[in-house]
């Protein structure tokens, strides 16, 4: 899943996550990277980057994915306000935008100023993920599926990260893959089957039982 992606955070901060020590910048300046009001070490090239649109960024990432080139400095792509505005427009009208996380924050409270604060927190290494609110949703066969509901700000940031990874990896997926992909699904798979194999009258559906319950998260993080 992580072929070609080198880092989601600046190198010094990634090392601090592994060792539990302050980042290199924080060590040099004798400050905590989470200290309120601390000077931001990654703010010099922001103006030039903000002029790029979300479509320009994602098209560039998609092109690198098609050519299977490494995707460097993924964290810097989170600094573009247009990426957050695009994500807000995409998910604000979804049913998932209504339930609250552990706070009362909703899509109604989103603004450009709030997006700017989120980007500033990420750039200055002050962003912290909060615990999700856990609920159990009933499934068709009577069992329940655990569902985590993050705060709205985290939903927004998750969608920005998703759009970046999707642009890079979707171009590398098999053309025969239709599940959970943009502009693809059961209907596109059925259309291809009818055109390619007109003979069969039935097909077999398979599923990995409890995939999300048993998948090894530590392995995914290491990848």
């Amino acid at each position: 899943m992580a072929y070609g992606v080198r880092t989601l955070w600046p190198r010094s901060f990634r090392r601090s996550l592994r060792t539990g020590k302050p980042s290199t910048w924080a060590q040099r300046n004798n400050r905590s990277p989470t200290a309120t009001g601390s000077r931001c070490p990654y703010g010099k090239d922001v103006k030039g980057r903000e002029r790029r649109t979300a479509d320009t960024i994602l098209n560039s990432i998609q092109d690198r994915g098609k050519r299977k080139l490494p995707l460097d400095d993924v964290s810097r792509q989170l600094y573009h306000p247009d990426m957050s505005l695009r994500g807000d427009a995409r998910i604000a009208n979804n049913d998932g935008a209504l339930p609250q996380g552990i706070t009362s924050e909703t899509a109604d409270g989103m603004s450009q100023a709030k997006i700017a604060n989120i980007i500033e927190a990420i750039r200055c290494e002050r962003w912290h993920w909060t615990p999700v609110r856990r609920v159990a949703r009933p499934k068709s066969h009577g069992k329940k599926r655990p569902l985590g509901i993050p705060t709205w700000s985290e939903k927004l940031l998750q969608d920005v990260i998703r759009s970046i990874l999707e642009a890079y990896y979707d171009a590398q997926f098999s053309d025969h893959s239709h599940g959970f992909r943009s502009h693809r699904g059961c209907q596109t798979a059925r259309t291809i089957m009818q055109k390619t194999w007109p003979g069969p009258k039935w097909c077999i559906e398979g599923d990995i039982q409890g995939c999300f319950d048993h998948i090894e998260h530590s392995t995914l993080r290491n990848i």
Side-chain angles (χ1 to χ4, degrees):
M1 178 178 175
Y3 169 80
V5 177
R6 296 191 177 180
T7 177
L8 189 61
W9 296 103
R11 183 178 298 274
S12 61
F13 187 51
R14 184 176 66 171
R15 287 177 177 172
S16 71
L17 293 178
R18 291 201 303 262
T19 61
K21 299 178 181 179
S23 66
T24 305
W25 176 88
Q27 289 176 330
R28 289 199 305 265
N29 294 273
N30 194 27
R31 298 188 186 188
S32 167
T34 58
T36 303
S38 61
R39 181 171 60 85
C40 180
Y42 305 113
K44 295 182 180 180
D45 59 345
V46 175
K47 292 299 181 182
R49 290 176 176 271
E50 286 182 352
R51 287 194 290 267
R52 301 174 64 192
T53 66
D55 289 339
T56 301
I57 297 167
L58 295 177
N59 287 339
S60 176
I61 293 173
Q62 185 180 55
D63 180 65
R64 295 190 70 84
K66 288 179 179 179
R67 293 187 289 162
K68 295 187 177 181
L69 298 175
L71 185 60
D72 298 320
D73 295 330
V74 181
S75 63
R76 291 183 179 272
Q77 312 311 320
L78 307 180
Y79 302 167
H80 300 273
D82 201 47
M83 292 288 289
S84 296
L85 291 172
R86 177 183 181 275
D88 181 70
R90 200 190 77 85
I91 64 177
N93 295 324
N94 293 349
D95 292 338
L98 299 178
Q100 298 177 356
I102 63 172
T103 69
S104 59
E105 182 187 25
T106 64
D108 295 334
M110 187 53 61
S111 65
Q112 291 190 6
K114 194 165 188 177
I115 289 175
N117 289 335
I118 294 173
I119 293 173
E120 185 72 8
I122 297 170
R123 186 189 302 120
C124 298
E125 302 182 356
R126 294 197 300 267
W127 177 265
H128 293 279
W129 297 99
T130 59
V132 300
R133 182 168 69 89
R134 180 72 71 179
V135 297
R137 298 290 298 274
K139 301 177 71 172
S140 58
H141 52 62
K143 294 184 179 181
K144 292 185 177 182
R145 176 171 64 92
L147 180 66
I149 304 178
T151 63
W152 175 254
S153 294
E154 293 176 354
K155 288 179 185 178
L156 179 62
L157 182 55
Q158 286 175 2
D159 190 76
V160 174
I161 296 173
R162 178 205 57 78
S163 65
I164 293 172
L165 298 181
E166 181 181 72
Y168 184 75
Y169 287 114
D170 191 75
Q172 304 178 38
F173 289 163
S174 168
D175 194 48
H176 302 295
S177 173
H178 294 263
F180 299 99
R181 297 180 65 184
S182 180
H183 307 298
R184 291 180 179 236
C186 295
Q187 295 301 324
T188 57
R190 178 183 176 185
T191 300
I192 294 297
M193 290 176 64
Q194 289 176 332
K195 291 181 178 179
T196 308
W197 304 298
K201 302 299 182 182
W202 50 269
C203 63
I204 299 175
E205 177 189 9
D207 190 15
I208 301 176
Q209 182 177 4
C211 175
F212 295 107
D213 298 333
H214 301 97
I215 194 168
E216 190 63 49
H217 289 183
S218 60
T219 301
L220 293 180
R221 285 195 297 267
N222 289 335
I223 293 174

